[in-house]
Amino acid sequence: MYKIFVIEDDEKILNLIKDRLERYNYIVTTVEDYSNIKGEFIRENPHIVLLDINLPNYDGFFWCRELRSISKVPIIFISARFSDMDQVMAIENGGDDYITKPFSFDLLLAKLKGAIRRTYGEYAESSSKDIYEVDGVYLYKSQSIVEWEGKKVELSKKEFGLLYILMSNINEIVSREILLEELWDDIEFVDDNTLSVNIARLRKRLEDIGIYDAIQTKRGQGYSMIKTWD
C-alpha cells in the first residue's frame, strides 16, 4: 500500500481526495501544521505528495523546494492556477507533474499510478529516513549536519552523536554515563573531561545557527536538551 501526503488547505477538496483515494487502498495523510510541512513530511515518509500552490504561510513552490532538498519522492501539483507560468514554476521548483482544478479523479488516479510505476519498480526507502526532526531542527545523519531556519553547520562525529542522543530524549536528563557509553565502547579509557569539552563545542556549533542555551547541565546527573528556539 502506498502512502499519499496531501498538502491542501481546502477542506472540501481535501476530504474528496482522501475519500476517493482510500477507496483504492491508498493510505492518505494530511497536514496538521502548515508552518511545519517539512517536519510532517519527514515523520510521514510518504511515497507521493499532492501539493496545492495557495497555502497558509508559504506557497506550494516554497514547500516543493523544501521537500526536494531532502527527498526525491514524486510531487504532483494540484491547483486552480492554470497559467503556463504557474506550471513552469512548479516544474522549476522541483515538481514532477501538474493537475489543474477542477480535475477528473480518473486523471488524478492515472497520474498517481504513473508516478508509482516510474519511481517504485521495487520498494525504495525515501531519503527522508536519513533525517531526524524536532520542532523545526533537522539532523542529517549521513552528513552529520544540523539545520535550523535554513542555517546549517557540520558537526564532528562525536558532536553529532551527542546531539542526536540529547534530541532523542528532549526535555529529559541524560546521564553522563549513558552519553559516554553511547559514544565510546569502554568508558574506562575515556577522560571524563572529554565529554564536557565536546558538549562545549556542540553548544558553540548550535549558537552558530542561532540556537542558544538549549543544552543545560544538570549537576551530578548529566545533561538535558530543552527547546529554546521558536
Side-chain angles (χ1 to χ4, degrees), residues 8 11 32 37 40 43 50 78 91 93 122 127 168 177 188 194-195 210-211 224:
E8 166 65 72
E11 289 292 331
E32 295 182 4
I37 289 175
E40 293 195 14
R43 286 191 291 274
L50 296 180
I78 48 172
I91 301 302
N93 281 283
E122 295 179 359
S127 61
S168 299
E177 290 75 20
E188 58 193 293
T194 303
L195 179 57
I211 298 177
S224 178

Side-chain angles (χ1 to χ4, degrees), residues 46-58:
H47 297 95
I48 296 181
V49 173
L50 296 180
L51 175 62
D52 192 11
I53 295 177
N54 295 324
L55 297 168
N57 302 311
Y58 301 98

